[in-house]
Amino acid sequence: MADAFGRLHRNVQRKLHDMRWTSLNAIQVEAIEHLLGHEPSDCVIAAPTAGGKTEAAFLPVLSAIADDPGGGVRAMYVGPLKALINDQFRRVEDLCERMEMPVHRWHGDVAHAQRKALLSSPAGVLLITPESLEAMFILRPTHMPRLFARLAYVVIDEMHAFLGSVRGAQLISQLHRLRVRAGTDPLRIGLSATLGDPQAARRWLRPDGRAVRNITQSTGGARSPSRCGVPEADAATPTARTTTKRTSSNWRTPCWSRARQDQPRLRKYQVVDRARGRGAGDTSAGARAAG
């Protein structure tokens, strides 16, 4: 079985090297092997806060689309709160730095010029709320096929916030409508820190009964961590070898959510959104403000 780090796109490897990652954890290894394997399928990645779920999804997703990021949005991240999207936007944009891959966000606070950039040249990764996606259907129906015809992946963060709710039903409906309108059926990747009923979560993610794989600490625990080395193309250069030697004693595995590990993640972002007078999501501003 190929090493998980070796399956990643070379530019993703280089970025991890720049970030001084020493290894991938077991959940990330399993997600990479599954999503970049011979038969990738929908999956739910469940781990505690600061467990590396976001990396587990985006490292293989970005690797898969790195050589062909254009012609439409290739990966879409759906988050329940605008503050969460703003936070993840910075992290995904940083991860894409070496790939020259555009990263867009779309919600009620995003400037018109940024939205226009996506509409004029759709590509790369889009981060969006369900309300703003609904506004796209309502206000820009003719753009939908061109925007999403090449959509390959949908990453749904904080999936437990959508289960059993009106917003959750709305989101699943939107994915079905994308399939009808744009002719695309992307892989669905759910991320969650807490899942009381994993079977119900899988049914929600794919109501048509298709198989959904669970990736958790228990399923990934038997896997050994995958060491992050120097990409082969860089390893032969004296600079790469010197840098590795100089920094290896200080390397650590960063986690995008480490700063949030001591407080409930969604509660933090809800406070930010409410402080701005917009509640959860974009509903108070209406569809036109969201779109």
Side-chain angles (χ1 to χ4, degrees):
M1 181 179 295
D3 176 75
F5 180 76
R7 291 177 184 248
L8 298 174
H9 189 274
R10 183 164 296 166
N11 287 335
V12 176
Q13 295 177 352
R14 287 170 175 159
K15 184 59 184 179
L16 295 183
H17 180 259
D18 293 344
M19 294 166 66
R20 300 183 180 182
W21 280 47
T22 57
S23 64
L24 303 167
N25 66 28
I27 289 176
Q28 293 159 357
V29 169
E30 183 175 358
I32 291 168
E33 291 175 349
H34 175 63
L35 292 170
L36 296 180
H38 296 299
E39 296 182 358
S41 64
D42 304 323
C43 61
V44 174
I45 302 173
T49 301
K53 298 181 296 295
T54 309
E55 302 94 326
F58 270 105
L59 293 179
V61 166
L62 294 176
S63 293
I65 65 177
D67 288 330
D68 188 18
V73 174
R74 302 305 318 281
M76 181 170 67
Y77 166 101
V78 181
L81 297 168
K82 289 184 287 187
L84 175 59
I85 284 178
N86 292 339
D87 184 50
Q88 296 290 39
F89 171 79
R90 291 186 289 269
R91 289 166 168 81
V92 175
E93 189 176 46
D94 183 58
L95 190 60
C96 291
E97 180 183 15
R98 277 188 172 265
M99 290 179 278
E100 298 183 357
M101 183 181 300
V103 181
H104 307 273
R105 55 182 163 173
W106 190 296
H107 56 64
D109 294 341
V110 174
H112 175 73
Q114 294 176 323
R115 302 185 193 191
K116 186 176 179 180
L118 173 65
L119 295 175
S120 61
S121 183
V125 182
L126 171 65
L127 294 86
I128 195 167
T129 62
E131 289 75 21
S132 289
L133 184 56
E134 185 67 34
M136 277 190 171
F137 278 107
I138 296 171
L139 302 175
R140 295 174 174 84
T142 59
H143 289 276
M144 300 303 280
R146 188 172 65 90
L147 286 173
F148 296 108
R150 301 201 67 216
L151 185 65
Y153 299 93
V154 172
V155 178
I156 303 172
D157 203 357
E158 302 294 344
M159 192 174 74
H160 56 275
F162 293 108
L163 297 179
S165 70
V166 173
R167 294 182 84 202
Q170 176 193 34
L171 177 54
I172 293 301
S173 172
Q174 289 167 345
L175 296 180
H176 174 74
R177 288 149 62 197
L178 271 181
R179 182 178 179 182
V180 173
R181 187 76 59 86
T184 182
D185 189 17
L187 287 184
R188 303 179 185 183
I189 304 168
L191 308 181
S192 184
T194 55
L195 282 177
D197 189 344
Q199 186 175 354
R202 293 195 300 269
R203 287 197 303 267
W204 175 83
L205 192 64
R206 274 295 181 186
D208 60 9
R210 268 183 273 180
V212 177
R213 178 163 174 170
N214 262 4
I215 297 176
T216 66
Q217 283 187 323
S218 60
T219 62
R223 288 171 166 77
S224 300
S226 177
R227 183 168 180 78
C228 297
V230 182
E232 291 183 6
D234 299 333
T237 66
T239 300
R241 288 199 300 270
T242 302
T243 300
T244 304
K245 183 177 181 180
R246 183 175 64 249
T247 62
S248 60
S249 62
N250 298 320
W251 274 21
R252 59 186 175 85
T253 303
C255 180
W256 293 348
S257 54
R258 178 175 285 109
R260 298 189 296 275
Q261 60 187 334
D262 294 326
Q263 56 183 314
R265 190 169 184 236
L266 270 182
R267 186 178 303 168
K268 171 187 174 181
Y269 294 114
Q270 286 170 342
V271 169
V272 173
D273 274 1
R274 287 168 182 162
R276 294 174 178 170
R278 297 177 183 91
D282 302 298
T283 53
S284 63
R288 186 166 299 278

